[in-house]
Amino acid sequence: MVGRYPDFDVMQSADTWDDATRAVVEQRLRSPTDLRFFDAAEAVTAAAFSDTVTAQDREPRVPVVAMIDKKYAESRHDGYRYDDMPDDATTWHLALRGLDEVARRRYGSDFAGCPNEVRNAIVEQFAGGSLQGGVWDTFNCKRAFSVLMRGVLAEFYSHPWAWNEIGFGGPAYPRGYMRLGEGLREPHEKPEALQRDPVRDTETAR
Amino acid sequence: MLRQVLKGSSRPRHNDSAWLLDPQRRGVPNRDRMQRHADSDEVDLCIVGAGAGGSVLAQRLARRGWRVVVLESGRFWDPDRDWVSDEAGSHGLYWTEQRVIGGTDPVELGKNNSGEGVGGSMVHFAGYAPRFHPSDFATRSRDGVGADWPISYAELKPHYEDMERELPVAGQHWPWGDPHSYPHSPHPVSGGAARVWRGAMKAGIDMRVGPVAITNGVMGNRPHCIYRGFCLQGCKVDAKASPLVTHLPDAIEHGAEIRADCRAVRVEIDSNGRAAGVVYVDRTTGDMRMQRAAAVAVAGYSIETPRLLLHSVSTQFPGGLCNNEDQVGRYVMVQGASQVAGRFPDEVRCYKAPPPEVSSEQFYETDARRGFARGFALQTVSPLPIAWSEHVLAGGHWGDALREYMRDYNHWFVMGVLCELLPRPGNRVTLADETDAYGVPVARLDYTQCDNDRRNIAFAKDVMHEIWLQAEAQDVLTIDRYAHLIGGCRMGFSPVDSVCDKNQRTWAVPNLFIADGSVCPTQGSANPALTIMALSARLADHLSHAA
Ligand SMILES: Cc1cc2nc3c(=O)[nH]c(=O)nc-3n(C[C@H](O)[C@H](O)[C@H](O)COP(=O)(O)OP(=O)(O)OC[C@H]3O[C@@H](n4cnc5c(N)ncnc54)[C@H](O)[C@@H]3O)c2cc1C
Ligand code: SF4
């Protein structure tokens, strides 16, 4: 994953981090373990969903699904559910089934088997809360989207590859920062290699 | 004058915590000589919750010779080992057990709301430490909205001053509310905060640096802030205040016992209608135990405090302890905490420096021209990547657009507001049908805004847009959210309008006290932690004089 900071690799600073933090971050770079929360079919759908919403279309990919699987297998919850929603784990199972149902109705294939335009169109409706029929009639579609997105984004943007892409300095203890003011950069922070303005330069969002 | 000369150097009168810390290690060093009490030993006070309110109360009373046991549901943190300089890795700091949320404007809980573990929510609080304004204590008589407090600002003022020295608080001289200065001088500000400041100035809005509960210079064995920006993940440096470093070392030194991994499930009431102690689960062994105590103080935060009372049913209190007047759990408040991000052509790198930097209370009080009562505060916030992705998502972006806004992270800076939302009886904690691992029903929080709340939030967002316009931001992105739960067991004038009296004693049980943010009748636009601590210091004064 190359963003605007091709010369920046946050892991090059890993020797300046404290041991507890380094262990947590390095663990994310190890190959994922076997699935415990999703079944094999669900994992395929979840990966297609995650690829669509994070625009990951080539290897190496951040292993978002394996990370989410680990989270729920270890019963790490977010601490609340809306009164018109099941718990987050159940929401995942139901929403993945629902994505496949809609895809089969529209395109005759599972969600993962649909071309990008179809997947994008389905996700657009998922985000807008307008998917209907089957499981979608049993809970609040818009809130289900936010449950899944909360899960995907928390894993994706905890990964060092994503930090490299966005130029985030990563863990900063015990080193800290010395140069806070306008236009200042720490010696280990690399300048941007190209300028892109998301407002002007991203044509159609999806 | 003398205080100016002594800036940063005067030692607090009632608290040696910073000097008891170990300069080489984080965490609480005197734990190994901590006093231990038997369950059957009737201690003077059993406190539920080692957070902002519970810890100060324990520290103050232990100093006066009280035998105090604090039951804390979460772990006794060792920051060197348990805390990480990482967003996702800090999940363990939050209260993440199931809660149910409802109402027209539900309040999302979890990481944005409450903590679990010794130190409570301040372990991952941002660090803003403003006082409430004198007007906050009488909004009903002054503005015709909200509620009057049974105490005045003047009664809390000496405790505000003590707390500001003990945390310590750093910032510029404060011109709003009751004008005052701070013991530590203002921190340097980042490039992003400088832009907010410039935009605000052009828009005719006054800002100040601080007030933040972060050392600027050393204090005892607490070092200077290193501007690493991970305040919401727990300060591994000991620069940001939390009771773990500001009050518990001193409490332990004076004989208080902080019993971690112990979840209170019921306050026990004897046949005379007095609290006899607290029933709790020892989470390491799974055993159900009861700590006997001559008095009990509940300080579990605005959700867990009402939940514990509602679950403590008895023949005298069939609908929950202290709830015969149907007041427990009502008038819970949050602040409308919308945030607006502004984009700049050059790099801003908002992850550097503490998120709390500069703020303004110019819009705090009622201004009739705005068309609503009461007001809001403006503050910088600066998110780390995961929080920034949630902000981008709230703008309606996913897929390519989200990824691209994310790649643009270093060009954005974020400012937020805290809008005073009014207390309403239906905004309430109740018990849901489902239960937790210990068989206790989980809490349900319903929240619905009133028109005044909505107008306040809309106006505050317009002001943020104006500041970014003046700062010449090229683009803005907005997220609507809430912060800072308070209320739920408020203090008041009589048993029919509140749960406890002006000295935080419950109307229904003479030796039962509420010692956390749930006692507050209103919240103003100020972050609440300093006030919660000051209230506990005042409560301790009252208890030791009364005893
Ligand atoms: C992300 C975030 C940022 C914040 N930023 C700021 C800020 O900048 N400034 C500010 O002033 N405030 C801020 N706050 C709010 C502030 O942290 C809280 O208002 C304050 O800590 C609440 O104090 P408390 O005593 O009511 O509860 P807490 O500090 O939450 O303490 C309650 C304690 O009780 C324990 N407990 C609960 N139930 C039980 C039980 N049954 N048995 C045993 N123990 C129990 C909990 O584990 C917890 O440790 C922030 C909060 C969050 C989450
Ligand atoms: S920025 Fe300062 S106060 Fe905040 S976590 Fe880092 S060292 Fe602590």
Side-chain angles (χ1 to χ4, degrees):
Chain A
M1 284 167 45
V2 177
R4 302 185 203 162
Y5 306 86
D7 300 331
F8 172 65
D9 179 5
V10 71
M11 294 310 294
Q12 279 177 1
S13 293
D15 61 344
T16 69
W17 305 341
D18 65 284
D19 296 341
T21 302
R22 191 167 48 245
V24 162
V25 176
E26 282 180 346
Q27 189 268 328
R28 295 183 190 134
L29 290 166
R30 285 199 205 107
S31 18
T33 46
D34 291 343
L35 295 175
R36 287 177 288 164
F37 172 73
F38 295 122
D39 67 28
E42 282 177 333
V44 172
T45 310
F49 173 74
S50 149
D51 283 353
T52 307
V53 295
T54 60
Q56 288 205 94
D57 52 12
R58 69 190 69 137
E59 297 299 335
R61 285 176 162 81
V62 172
V64 174
V65 174
M67 294 162 90
I68 294 171
D69 185 272
K70 188 165 186 300
K71 168 177 167 175
Y72 287 114
E74 290 168 2
S75 297
R76 276 185 280 134
H77 299 292
D78 289 348
Y80 62 95
R81 73 169 173 82
Y82 284 89
D83 61 352
D84 56 0
M85 293 295 293
D87 60 47
D88 291 357
T90 311
T91 302
W92 268 98
H93 291 307
L94 289 174
L96 294 176
R97 202 171 84 208
L99 285 173
D100 281 339
E101 278 176 15
V102 174
R104 265 181 242 121
R105 237 184 295 143
R106 298 239 181 112
Y107 194 74
S109 122
D110 289 348
F111 182 74
C114 294
N116 277 343
E117 312 81 70
V118 178
R119 284 200 221 162
N120 280 336
I122 294 174
V123 170
E124 180 84 59
Q125 281 185 284
F126 188 8
S130 61
L131 288 175
Q132 282 172 345
V135 300
W136 301 107
D137 295 339
T138 68
F139 60 34
N140 183 323
C141 172
K142 216 172 176 158
R143 283 179 180 158
F145 182 73
S146 75
V147 168
L148 267 58
M149 287 305 287
R150 213 195 308 135
V152 168
L153 294 176
E155 303 303 339
F156 190 82
Y157 286 105
S158 74
H159 201 281
W161 296 346
W163 298 346
N164 289 343
E165 180 179 68
I166 69 175
F168 168 57
Y173 175 77
R175 179 163 64 182
Y177 295 112
M178 297 281 289
R179 296 158 186 84
L180 306 178
E182 280 177 280
L184 300 182
R185 213 180 272 123
E186 312 290 325
H188 59 277
E189 289 174 329
K190 298 291 186 295
E192 244 177 333
L194 73 154
Q195 285 267 349
R196 236 173 109 85
D197 185 318
V199 196
R200 280 197 317 269
D201 305 338
T202 312
E203 312 109 337
T204 46
R206 355 200 129 121
Chain B
M1 184 58 206
L2 190 61
R3 276 183 61 191
Q4 288 299 319
V5 177
L6 289 174
K7 216 168 180 53
S9 58
S10 66
R11 186 164 172 158
R13 286 181 292 161
H14 313 294
N15 187 342
D16 296 326
S17 289
W19 285 262
L20 290 163
L21 294 170
D22 184 329
Q24 308 300 333
R25 286 184 49 75
R26 262 47 56 189
V28 176
N30 49 1
R31 240 176 103 186
D32 49 355
R33 44 175 204 277
M34 185 167 77
Q35 186 99 33
R36 307 269 173 187
H37 295 276
D39 283 333
S40 56
D41 177 10
E42 189 189 88
V43 295
D44 298 322
L45 179 68
C46 177
I47 301 174
V48 177
S55 301
V56 171
L57 184 63
Q59 183 260 345
R60 289 300 205 260
L61 289 175
R63 268 199 167 235
R64 288 164 180 152
W66 285 46
R67 293 179 317 132
V68 178
V69 168
V70 186
L71 302 174
E72 168 53 52
S73 174
R75 296 163 63 185
F76 209 126
W77 298 118
D78 172 356
D80 285 335
R81 193 192 58 205
D82 301 333
W83 297 354
V84 289
S85 190
D86 180 76
E87 233 180 332
S90 301
H91 197 262
L93 300 180
Y94 319 130
W95 187 291
T96 51
E97 278 179 36
Q98 192 67 285
R99 286 162 171 169
V100 180
I101 59 175
T104 310
D105 308 287
V107 175
E108 296 196 346
L109 299 171
K111 73 173 175 182
N112 184 47
N113 280 293
S114 47
E116 183 173 22
V118 175
S121 305
M122 281 177 76
V123 162
H124 70 287
F125 91 141
Y128 275 114
R131 299 182 188 178
F132 282 12
H133 286 200
S135 68
D136 284 321
F137 296 77
T139 62
R140 171 57 57 186
S141 14
R142 291 172 53 110
D143 307 285
V145 295
D148 287 355
W149 292 48
I151 61 171
S152 68
Y153 172 83
E155 288 172 79
L156 220 45
K157 179 171 176 166
H159 304 290
Y160 274 136
E161 289 172 345
D162 283 343
M163 283 306 139
E164 283 164 357
R165 199 167 308 157
E166 292 171 49
L167 291 180
V169 184
Q172 288 184 301
H173 178 81
W174 206 246
W176 296 288
D178 175 25
H180 56 277
S181 51
Y182 288 110
H184 277 214
S185 22
H187 287 272
V189 300
S190 68
R195 273 165 233 253
V196 174
W197 190 289
R198 273 206 301 276
M201 253 170 42
K202 282 210 240 163
I205 298 164
D206 235 0
M207 297 206 85
R208 290 291 182 276
V209 182
V212 294
I214 300 175
T215 51
N216 186 1
V218 290
M219 177 189 184
N221 291 330
R222 284 173 62 196
H224 196 296
C225 169
I226 61 170
Y227 305 111
R228 58 196 264 277
F230 282 88
C231 304
L232 279 80
Q233 286 67 37
C235 180
K236 279 184 82 92
V237 176
D238 276 358
K240 188 192 77 175
S242 88
L244 191 68
V245 293
T246 60
H247 288 83
L248 292 173
D250 193 71
I252 290 170
E253 197 67 13
H254 289 89
E257 176 185 352
I258 315 300
R259 205 175 293 164
D261 298 303
C262 290
R263 169 79 59 88
V265 292
R266 205 172 67 241
V267 177
E268 195 66 22
I269 298 296
D270 67 18
S271 53
N272 301 320
R274 292 177 63 87
V278 179
V279 178
Y280 66 98
V281 181
D282 179 336
R283 300 178 79 181
T284 0
T285 60
D287 294 343
M288 189 80 86
R289 296 163 49 176
M290 178 175 143
Q291 176 64 53
R292 299 184 56 77
V296 170
V298 184
Y301 199 65
S302 289
I303 297 189
E304 294 306 317
T305 291
R307 178 185 177 211
L308 182 65
L309 295 187
L310 291 173
H311 182 61
S312 299
V313 289
S314 58
T315 43
Q316 293 116 301
F317 299 102
L321 190 54
C322 308
N323 195 34
N324 288 357
E325 303 287 347
D326 197 26
Q327 290 291 308
V328 172
R330 292 192 184 278
Y331 305 102
V332 171
M333 283 156 279
V334 286
Q335 286 164 331
S338 301
Q339 298 178 349
V340 180
R343 200 236 180 223
F344 294 92
D346 39 343
E347 290 175 22
V348 185
R349 298 198 183 243
C350 74
Y351 57 84
K352 302 205 288 191
E357 294 196 83
V358 301
S359 55
S360 172
E361 291 181 347
Q362 181 166 328
F363 297 92
Y364 200 106
E365 262 87 29
T366 301
D367 177 346
R369 288 167 303 179
R370 292 185 218 138
F372 58 89
R374 303 301 293 161
F376 56 93
L378 283 160
Q379 303 179 334
T380 56
V381 284
S382 53
L384 293 176
I386 295 173
W388 174 236
S389 73
E390 287 164 0
H391 194 131
V392 172
L393 176 69
H397 304 290
W398 51 270
D400 286 320
L402 177 132
R403 215 32 205 283
E404 198 53 38
Y405 270 107
M406 291 303 298
R407 288 191 188 107
D408 207 39
Y409 175 59
N410 282 339
H411 290 268
W412 293 78
F413 200 79
V414 187
M415 155 176 42
V417 285
L418 294 178
C419 299
E420 173 167 358
L421 305 187
L422 301 173
R424 312 186 73 209
N427 290 343
R428 185 174 195 186
V429 172
T430 51
L431 300 179
D433 296 331
E434 61 198 273
T435 53
D436 68 10
Y438 309 109
V440 179
V442 308
R444 176 190 169 105
L445 173 63
D446 284 283
Y447 205 87
T448 299
Q449 295 174 12
C450 62
D451 280 347
N452 196 80
D453 296 344
R454 290 182 219 284
R455 285 203 292 270
N456 187 342
I457 293 171
F459 186 94
K461 285 198 282 192
D462 286 346
V463 170
M464 287 193 281
H465 281 122
E466 176 63 19
I467 292 175
W468 281 139
L469 187 75
Q470 296 296 337
E472 293 172 27
Q474 302 163 290
D475 185 17
V476 293
L477 261 183
T478 303
I479 182 171
D480 286 311
R481 51 187 289 288
Y482 294 118
H484 306 148
L485 283 148
I486 216 165
C489 287
R490 70 177 182 179
M491 53 161 86
F493 298 88
S494 86
V496 296
D497 70 11
S498 54
V499 174
C500 57
D501 68 11
K502 63 187 261 189
N503 295 319
Q504 299 174 228
R505 181 195 304 267
T506 59
W507 295 108
V509 181
N511 63 338
L512 176 64
F513 298 83
I514 310 293
D516 62 7
S518 34
V519 301
C520 299
T522 60
Q523 177 160 223
S525 316
N527 319 56
L530 186 82
T531 299
I532 295 170
M533 293 179 128
L535 281 167
S536 273
R538 176 182 174 274
L539 171 59
D541 268 5
H542 170 76
L543 287 176
S544 52
H545 292 145

